[in-house]
Amino acid sequence: MLKEANYIFANLETPLCRGVTPIEKCGPNLKADVLTVLGIKAMGNIILSLCNNHIMDAGEFGIRSTLEIAQANGVSTIGAMTMLILALILGEHEIAKVIVDRMAEETGCFS
């Protein structure tokens, strides 16, 4: 049935990365291996939402890895704003946290 859909919208509740130390936080730190993208891609024309409370569990490396792997495999993503990426690249982690918090408030992303 999924193969027949024009688009599949799904939430990626974890960064896709390898060999990274998780950030310090209260609660579980999630991450999935980069090869997970192969199973995601096999589902069809998928759009992944990255707007959730675990996408930053592996810090800057995790979100960069996720975006790069998705793009390299033709998987579309939404929810990771350009300003967020810029803040992370510049090392402005407090600004990045504010952006993620605002994204959750303004878009109604809850998990």
Side-chain angles (χ1 to χ4, degrees), residues 54-100:
H54 287 288
I55 197 61
M56 294 296 296
D57 280 5
E60 175 185 350
F61 176 82
I63 194 160
R64 278 189 188 185
S65 175
T66 302
L67 291 167
E68 289 170 4
I69 290 163
Q71 183 179 22
N73 285 277
V75 175
S76 299
T77 61
I78 63 169
M81 299 176 0
T82 304
M83 290 304 295
L84 172 60
I85 303 305
L86 181 59
L88 291 171
I89 290 170
L90 296 175
E92 298 292 342
H93 300 287
E94 288 303 312
I95 293 173
K97 183 182 179 326
V98 169
I99 292 170
V100 170

Side-chain angles (χ1 to χ4, degrees), residues 19 31-35 43 45 57-58 64 81 89 96 103 105:
K31 72 175 180 176
D33 189 83
V34 296
L35 294 178
M43 292 169 49
N45 194 9
D57 280 5
R64 278 189 188 185
M81 299 176 0
I89 290 170
M103 281 174 29
E105 289 173 12

Side-chain angles (χ1 to χ4, degrees), residues 9-12 46-52 55 63 67 70 75-81 103 109:
F9 184 79
N11 180 44
L12 182 65
I46 192 158
I47 301 168
L48 292 178
S49 171
L50 306 182
C51 181
N52 61 68
I55 197 61
I63 194 160
L67 291 167
V75 175
S76 299
T77 61
I78 63 169
M81 299 176 0
M103 281 174 29
C109 292

